[in-house]
Amino acid sequence: MNDVRADLKNLKIGVYVCHCGKNIADVVDVKRVADFASKLPGVEVAREYLHMCDDVGQEMISKDIMELGINRVVVAACSPKVHELTFRDTLRKAGLNPYLLEMANIREQCSWVHRSDPDRATEKAIDLVKMAVAKARWLIPLETKAVEVTRSALVIGGGIAGIQAALDVADNGYQVYLVEKGPSLGGRMGQWSKVFPTMDCAACILTPKMVSAAQHPKIKLLTNSELIEASGSLGNFKVKIRKRPRYVDEEKCTACGLCAQKCPVRIPNEVDFGMSSRKAIYITSPNAVPLAYSIDGENCLYLKRGICRVCERVCEAKAIDFDQKEEVLELRVGSIIVAIGYDPFDPTPLEEYGFGRYKDVVTGPMLERMTDPMGPTGGAILRPSTGKPPRKVAFIQCVGSRDARFNLYCSRVCCMYAIKDSLIIKEQNPESDVYIFYMDIRAFGKGYEEFYLRSQEAGVKFIRGKVSSIREDPRTHELVLRYEDTLLGTALEDSFDLVVLSVGQVPRADTDAISKILGIPRSADGFLMEAHPKLRPNDAVVDGIYLAGSAQYPKDIPDAVAQASGAAARALIPLSMGQVYVEPISPLIEEDRCGGCGVCVKLCPYGALKLEEREDKRVAKVDEVLCKGCGTCSAACPSGAVRSRMFTEEQILSMISSAAG
Amino acid sequence: MIENRKGDWFEPRILGFLCNWCSYAAADLAGMSRMEYPPNIRCVRVMCSGRVEPSFVLEALREGYDGVLIAGCHPPSDCHYQSGNLKARRRYYLLRKLLRELGINPDRVRLEWASASEGQRFAEIVKDFTERLRRLGPSPLKVKRVGAE
């Protein structure tokens, strides 16, 4: 194991410069780069080709390995994040150790960013190749290690995406821990009444799924629970889940509701976005799964001030249990699926629309709750100011979306839900007038365009233009909208008695916390970032962690379900393989150089290093399972004994000097 | 060797150390978004900014680079390795002191943070650093080397 020095004798380096179609070759003079490379010391052959990653390109490399005895390969092409694994595979198949490969990133970090200066871009590409060749000289053959996988998965979030992912993994026969922060499964979809474009009732299609997830022998459902810590890597994660007490025995509770009737505490109901109230002991919906009441510790009089206990007295099933304590569960899983969903955009900052000041300005999700028979109005769409059905309703699209002040992205659901709600309003009251103010109608899904036509046929009026302001007549609560009709090219005013702001999706409030706990980055829009925008939309940037639903980007239900099944399929790969191959990332420690000072031991963020007694001295020892390969120990070691295998001191120093001034 | 007294057509050479998870990804994103920045920088990928030994930076300056950029994940807690960025920052401040004592303008070394979504920021950093180094002129170490040749 102590053979950590590169073999500098008999170097035969092959350099392969890729055109990437025209992506590189249009800017960088690839021929000049290859010619230059062929003269570098140790380089046996340098070639350029249209697409190094295609069959012919890879064949070119493997032929050279087999026929010319090439023993170090430099590919100057795209980012190693795109094709390093591809070319490692090429080496492996040709019989060369896959770690004897180095890539020069002359696309993302050269041709794509220096288009207006081809000469200097070519000079830079030559330097990047020089550096890669310099590193290649010092590469060491390394071995991957097979590690047993913990054959279970963690799914975070009990909305439709989390439920689907959990069911798919569990149906394949693996244990799933489904963690939901709230007291019931269902997520956002559980708040909606009818869903587009089929107009079927959300509960009718969601509840059976919630029940199957809760009753599945392979799914352990953990409600009132959240992830608080995670460590480990692909195949073997260790996670800590905090389970808050429900104070109600799920098994005993019959959901009769007597407790809630008698509970004296009344607070705004978050399921109805504050349009109704609930008690401190409550159930989120009559379809809740598990079907059991839950006591909200923040608001319960007994838990806060030690008085009351009315619920306990009236409960015939004796289900109330104030002795329940918070638990922290430690679980081991092989894959993690993140399905934490989204929050609706809060339109309060758009002062011109007066949300929060004018009673009859509501959000799309609030209207949604009104259409629910279990909602605050029993299913009737009513003006909050008068409690009467509206005669003239306006929907304002793209509130908080496609707006440089807030979010640039399109939220992808608002056009369709506004169209759906316009149809419901027309159904409830055919006499009413419904206007939709839009920038573009995006009806891109299956059956969506037809649905859009249906609303036009029903008489919904579509006005292309943005509403600039709303003012309220304080007496009648009538709302006067000022807007531009861009098709007529004029500014107009019109009054309405209900205005619906079609707010989009934003990352859930705890996205930041989850991204930090799991070490997975977010994109500029705040959603969790995928490993590749086109080819790996289900994978987080960290191996073994997968994304489902709106946690990654705004999605409607069919897309969330499709991505959830995709994430489950990805998460099943390590579970069904049973073994994963771990990259040789941990450092090698040269014991004869190690002075046993322990600097590395103190610096390691994972506690992966410790000192071991030898006959005459102490030496550092690395735990390969705990090590994540950051290299902080190598940087700090005063005697150069701790060597990062893929980023050795010689490799980096030779890169520095190879292209210096 | 390219230099003149005014320094207005002097093109500095910059060496960058980018951490794999945030800053290297930011540089890739700048590429994917086709954001232009000056071609003065050559980057070395390391797994973590905590891997960057101060001696790497000194070596780069000695070899004739006019400036060195170290870029990692935003502190305090974006680091993929929990605290490598904080260790990089500690070393950076010590390194600046050392550079001052060696008579090298510490502004030739720059520590920056760019997350995987900040392609724009990465491009801005390179632009700004290139501009700054143009004004500082060629590294004194490089001038000596040229004189010695």
Side-chain angles (χ1 to χ4, degrees):
Chain A
M1 277 302 270
N2 257 6
D3 182 22
V4 293
R5 299 288 162 180
D7 175 15
L8 295 179
K9 286 180 212 132
N10 312 316
L11 274 180
K12 282 188 171 183
I13 305 172
V15 180
Y16 302 89
V17 185
C18 182
H19 296 210
C20 194
K22 289 181 165 185
N23 280 295
I24 294 169
D26 252 8
V27 180
V28 170
D29 183 345
V30 282
K31 224 178 147 42
R32 223 181 104 200
V33 176
D35 282 348
F36 193 94
S38 68
K39 298 184 191 100
L40 291 170
V43 173
E44 182 82 4
V45 64
R47 303 183 194 278
E48 30 97 15
Y49 174 63
L50 196 59
H51 287 291
M52 274 303 164
C53 58
D54 73 13
D55 277 354
V56 181
Q58 292 191 51
E59 187 55 38
M60 197 182 275
I61 299 172
S62 47
K63 217 173 137 205
D64 285 351
I65 293 171
M66 289 187 281
E67 290 177 5
L68 302 178
I70 293 300
N71 52 20
R72 301 282 189 282
V73 174
V74 170
V75 180
C78 48
S79 168
K81 294 190 181 232
V82 183
H83 272 317
E84 191 170 49
L85 293 179
T86 312
F87 293 117
R88 274 191 192 157
D89 226 38
T90 314
L91 267 62
R92 186 181 294 121
K93 283 179 190 152
L96 190 61
N97 184 290
Y99 293 93
L100 297 175
L101 165 79
E102 180 63 16
M103 288 190 74
N105 185 343
I106 61 167
R107 191 180 74 170
E108 280 83 348
Q109 297 189 13
C110 190
S111 70
W112 278 354
V113 286
H114 310 311
R115 300 173 80 81
S116 57
D117 198 343
D119 282 343
R120 294 186 64 208
T122 303
E123 278 166 30
K124 176 168 172 179
I126 288 174
D127 278 350
L128 293 175
V129 169
K130 274 195 221 166
M131 291 162 80
V133 168
K135 181 169 178 182
R137 298 165 65 84
W138 292 95
L139 290 175
I140 316 161
L142 301 170
E143 297 303 326
T144 48
K145 218 169 119 179
V147 172
E148 289 293 308
V149 166
T150 310
R151 294 183 166 206
S152 58
L154 172 73
V155 177
I156 310 166
I160 183 60
I163 292 171
Q164 183 64 45
L167 283 171
D168 284 358
V169 175
D171 283 347
N172 274 274
Y174 300 100
Q175 178 65 42
V176 176
Y177 301 96
L178 176 54
V179 171
E180 164 57 43
K181 205 164 98 175
S184 167
L185 288 176
R188 292 290 171 201
M189 187 179 171
Q191 286 177 279
W192 312 146
S193 169
K194 288 183 176 180
V195 285
F196 61 78
T198 45
M199 289 286 230
D200 39 6
C201 103
C204 311
I205 54 177
L206 176 64
T207 317
K209 288 225 166 224
M210 289 158 59
V211 173
S212 333
Q215 293 180 348
H216 202 293
K218 287 281 183 187
I219 297 179
K220 168 88 179 140
L221 173 60
L222 298 164
T223 49
N224 284 329
S225 300
E226 54 196 316
L227 176 73
I228 51 168
E229 235 181 88
S231 60
S233 57
L234 168 66
N236 291 288
F237 291 99
K238 211 159 59 179
V239 295
K240 278 190 186 165
I241 308 290
R242 180 191 303 141
K243 186 164 170 50
R244 293 184 315 279
R246 184 183 275 270
Y247 301 112
V248 175
D249 186 329
E250 279 175 39
E251 304 296 314
K252 289 185 186 161
C253 176
T254 59
C256 67
L258 201 57
C259 53
Q261 271 178 37
K262 300 291 178 192
C263 173
V265 182
R266 195 176 277 280
I267 52 166
N269 184 354
E270 48 281 79
V271 174
D272 287 338
F273 301 102
M275 289 184 293
S276 68
S277 61
R278 66 163 170 85
K279 299 298 186 62
I281 183 162
Y282 71 112
I283 196 161
T284 51
S285 139
N287 305 320
V289 171
L291 190 59
Y293 276 73
S294 177
I295 294 176
D296 153 9
E298 295 290 296
N299 292 294
C300 168
L301 283 181
Y302 175 65
L303 291 168
K304 281 309 231 194
R305 292 195 272 153
I307 49 171
C308 188
R309 300 182 88 149
V310 162
C311 49
E312 199 175 21
R313 284 199 299 279
V314 298
C315 180
E316 287 166 3
K318 305 257 171 286
I320 311 292
D321 179 4
F322 281 113
D323 294 331
Q324 284 185 6
K325 294 274 174 294
E326 184 177 290
E327 294 173 78
V328 173
L329 308 170
E330 250 193 58
L331 306 173
R332 285 171 185 276
V333 293
S335 302
I336 299 176
I337 298 174
V338 186
I340 56 172
Y342 66 94
D343 281 331
F345 174 76
D346 173 8
T348 315
L350 283 109
E351 289 183 10
E352 64 271 32
Y353 292 160
F355 176 77
R357 286 202 313 274
Y358 308 148
K359 276 189 175 168
D360 293 337
V361 176
V362 299
T363 65
M366 289 166 77
L367 189 81
E368 227 19 84
R369 290 306 303 150
M370 286 195 225
T371 65
D372 188 342
M374 307 297 173
T377 57
I381 293 176
L382 304 172
R383 288 180 75 186
S385 65
T386 60
K388 295 210 175 81
R391 283 161 294 120
K392 200 167 162 192
V393 184
F395 285 84
I396 302 178
Q397 298 307 109
C398 299
V399 174
S401 313
R402 307 179 68 203
D403 182 335
R405 294 172 298 169
F406 304 99
N407 299 302
L408 274 181
Y409 57 83
C410 164
S411 281
R412 300 174 87 249
V413 294
C414 329
C415 285
M416 298 315 294
Y417 80 59
I419 289 170
K420 173 198 66 185
D421 288 331
S422 73
L423 281 167
I424 296 175
I425 294 171
K426 282 283 191 187
E427 252 168 42
Q428 288 195 2
N429 183 4
E431 301 303 306
S432 60
D433 277 326
V434 183
Y435 287 71
I436 295 183
F437 294 91
Y438 70 98
M439 292 201 274
D440 303 282
I441 292 292
R442 297 187 165 173
F444 50 82
K446 186 170 182 175
Y448 290 9
E449 185 67 21
E450 295 87 331
F451 194 59
Y452 173 32
L453 286 175
R454 230 174 97 192
S455 70
Q456 288 177 317
E457 280 157 16
V460 176
K461 297 180 185 71
F462 288 84
I463 311 273
R464 186 166 178 272
K466 192 103 183 144
V467 174
S468 62
S469 69
I470 300 176
R471 63 172 200 277
E472 185 192 48
D473 181 326
R475 232 168 9 91
T476 60
H477 295 294
E478 198 113 290
L479 298 160
V480 183
L481 271 61
R482 202 175 156 71
Y483 65 94
E484 186 194 9
D485 186 326
T486 57
L487 297 180
L488 293 178
T490 48
L492 296 163
E493 275 195 359
D494 200 357
S495 46
F496 294 85
D497 47 15
L498 181 67
V499 173
V500 185
L501 305 179
S502 293
V503 294
Q505 302 183 358
V506 296
R508 220 177 157 90
D510 44 12
T511 304
D512 193 49
I514 295 280
S515 94
K516 294 218 160 95
I517 293 170
L518 293 173
I520 51 176
R522 304 163 73 183
S523 337
D525 51 29
F527 290 97
L528 295 172
M529 189 186 255
E530 60 289 314
H532 188 280
K534 293 187 187 66
L535 302 179
R536 292 176 66 192
N538 294 308
D539 302 0
V541 172
V542 177
D543 287 345
I545 304 180
Y546 309 90
L547 306 175
S550 291
Q552 182 237 348
Y553 195 66
K555 281 188 190 66
D556 56 15
I557 295 162
D559 282 1
V561 171
Q563 198 202 16
S565 285
R570 302 283 298 158
L572 279 162
I573 295 173
L575 305 191
S576 59
M577 292 299 287
Q579 274 191 336
V580 287
Y581 291 91
V582 179
E583 282 210 26
I585 50 170
S586 63
L588 281 168
I589 294 167
E590 287 188 71
E591 291 197 357
D592 42 354
R593 279 193 177 203
C594 176
C597 68
V599 165
C600 57
V601 176
K602 272 182 247 152
L603 278 177
C604 178
Y606 302 100
L609 286 149
K610 57 175 190 282
L611 289 177
E612 261 189 9
E613 296 293 336
R614 290 283 180 275
E615 280 161 26
D616 48 345
K617 62 173 187 176
R618 293 187 308 167
V619 290
K621 174 110 178 124
V622 62
D623 181 331
E624 291 183 15
V625 178
L626 294 178
C627 173
K628 295 262 199 176
C630 63
T632 296
C633 48
S634 307
C637 178
S639 52
V642 187
R643 299 169 54 79
S644 287
R645 286 187 250 204
M646 289 198 262
F647 298 88
T648 66
E649 198 170 343
E650 292 90 348
Q651 288 169 5
I652 295 177
L653 289 175
S654 63
M655 285 177 94
I656 294 170
S657 59
S658 63
Chain B
M1 194 50 66
I2 33 168
E3 60 180 83
N4 80 343
R5 259 173 230 286
K6 285 186 205 158
D8 54 0
W9 50 271
F10 156 69
E11 288 294 352
R13 292 178 71 85
I14 306 171
L15 187 71
F17 291 101
L18 310 184
C19 83
N20 181 60
W21 300 95
C22 292
S23 299
Y24 195 86
D28 276 358
L29 181 62
M32 281 185 261
S33 322
R34 310 295 196 277
M35 291 160 179
E36 286 233 8
Y37 55 81
N40 297 51
I41 190 165
R42 281 97 181 94
C43 294
V44 174
R45 180 170 69 117
V46 287
M47 292 314 280
C48 179
S49 53
R51 170 70 185 99
V52 181
E53 300 179 21
S55 62
F56 293 167
V57 178
L58 294 173
E59 190 60 22
L61 292 170
R62 201 181 66 85
E63 286 282 357
Y65 282 96
D66 301 294
V68 178
L69 172 72
I70 306 162
C73 309
H74 282 279
S77 51
D78 269 13
C79 179
H80 186 78
Y81 303 107
Q82 300 182 5
S83 56
N85 53 351
L86 304 181
K87 284 156 194 154
R89 185 163 63 184
R90 283 207 309 248
R91 289 182 190 133
Y92 170 70
Y93 286 123
L94 289 171
L95 183 61
R96 281 183 73 94
K97 271 192 195 165
L98 181 64
L99 288 174
R100 219 171 278 131
E101 280 174 26
L102 292 172
I104 300 169
N105 190 330
D107 290 350
R108 291 193 180 275
V109 180
R110 196 151 157 178
L111 177 69
E112 290 281 357
W113 318 115
S115 79
S117 62
E118 291 177 327
Q120 176 86 45
R121 186 177 155 77
F122 180 80
E124 294 297 331
I125 291 168
V126 177
K127 253 182 239 172
D128 188 74
F129 195 25
T130 307
E131 227 11 82
R132 170 93 196 139
L133 288 168
R134 273 202 190 111
R135 284 201 298 274
L136 280 181
S139 156
L141 299 175
K142 173 148 70 184
V143 177
K144 268 180 213 150
R145 259 164 55 102
V146 172
E149 269 165 20

